[in-house]
């Protein structure tokens, strides 16, 4: 993956995903070392962030490199300066760019003009770093990926799109319950069907949350109103009213099912507080795993030394 962009999960092969997860397991256990000495990552963000910003900054710090955070107000992407010009300038200073944009096309323009690897830190289409960290969390909790069944309840948004691709690349059956008009992107679904056919996974789309959750190993939800959609908040509350993950819905999943959410959560909307705080919830492990997964991703993309810790003993 050295020197490559990560704009979509579809930029990765199944082998890439399994290798990232296995390296992240080792890195988290302290059995893996890397150096990004003198490497610099720009964090170019058009939207707010807690997890993504901090996990990328800490990852670069722990790998011996540095991150520079550029807030929406500072850069004025596409307003103060055109996106291609911002990309050309940043590419002269930094070794990679992690960008959070409203439009996925902005990421593509950054990637084609910067001359350095661009990592999608969330766009309107995908959130690949979240999906990869989520697979790491599922693997840690369940000890396997292939053959498990994940039920996603709610908006067919950026998080759902990336999760659908990542799950089907690794043989996880994917069920999704979304209201009509709020389903995952058709081109993503078509691609996921191909991935699923290759590894024997199944995809099931429904409008009925109970059908999706019944007997699932993993129940996953995300906000009904994503960043940038705030004007639709009231309408979305009505459309998604029957899609809350609460104790009654979760009880239909397997007894050992885990509850996942990328955070931030809108407690009392897409997920009830009791469920989010329950023993089945792994949401803070998910948040932590953003750091471990992204360290490995940065090391692979930026070509840092990666050796088993034992080699240094
Ligand atoms: N899950 C996630 O990406 O969180 P932030 O928006 O806080 O970065
Ligand atoms: N779907 C959410 C995810 C936030 C991490 C959003 O785009 O706001």
């Amino acid at each position: 993956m050295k020197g490559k962009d990560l704009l979509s999960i579809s930029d990765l092969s199944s082998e890439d995903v399994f290798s990232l997860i296995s390296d992240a397991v080792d890195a988290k256990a302290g059995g893996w070392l890397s150096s990004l000495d003198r490497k610099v990552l720009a964090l170019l963000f058009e939207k707010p962030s807690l997890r993504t910003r901090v996990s990328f900054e800490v990852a670069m710090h722990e790998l011996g490199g540095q991150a520079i955070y550029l807030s929406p107000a500072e850069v004025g992407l596409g307003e103060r300066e055109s996106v291609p010009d911002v990309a050309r300038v940043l590419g002269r200073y930094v070794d990679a760019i992690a960008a959070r944009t409203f439009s996925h096309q902005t990421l593509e323009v950054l990637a084609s003009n910067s001359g350095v690897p661009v990592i999608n830190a969330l766009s309107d289409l995908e959130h690949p770093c979240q999906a990869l960290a989520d697979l790491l969390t599922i693997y840690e909790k369940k000890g396997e990926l292939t053959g498990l069944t994940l039920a996603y309840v709610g908006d067919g948004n950026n998080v759902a799109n990336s999760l659908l691709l990542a799950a089907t690349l690794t043989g996880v059956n994917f069920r999704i319950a979304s209201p009509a008009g709020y389903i995952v992107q058709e081109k993503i679904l078509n691609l996921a069907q191909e991935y699923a056919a290759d590894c024997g996974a199944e995809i099931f789309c429904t409008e009925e949350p109970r059908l999706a959750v019944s007997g699932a190993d993993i129940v996953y939800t995300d906000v009904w109103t994503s960043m940038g959609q705030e004007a639709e908040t009231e309408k979305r509350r009505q459309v998604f009213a029957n899609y809350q993950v609460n104790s009654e819905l979760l009880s239909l999943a397997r007894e050992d099912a885990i509850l996942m959410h990328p955070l931030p959560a809108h407690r009392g909307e897409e997920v009830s507080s009791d469920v989010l705080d329950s023993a089945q919830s792994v949401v803070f492990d998910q948040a932590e795993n953003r750091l471990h997964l992204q360290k490995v991703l940065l090391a692979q993309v930026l070509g840092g030394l990666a050796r088993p810790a034992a080699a240094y003993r």
Side-chain angles (χ1 to χ4, degrees), residues 224-225 232-242 269:
W224 295 337
T225 302
E232 300 172 29
T233 302
E234 266 319 308
K235 181 183 170 205
R236 283 171 172 269
R237 276 193 188 125
Q238 288 168 24
V239 170
F240 286 97
N242 294 325
E269 289 193 13

Side-chain angles (χ1 to χ4, degrees), residues 7 82-85 87-88 103-115 118:
L7 304 190
S82 77
V83 178
D85 284 355
R88 288 181 193 119
S103 161
H104 191 77
Q105 202 204 347
T106 304
L107 284 178
E108 292 170 346
V109 175
L110 286 170
S112 55
N113 287 277
S114 66
V118 173

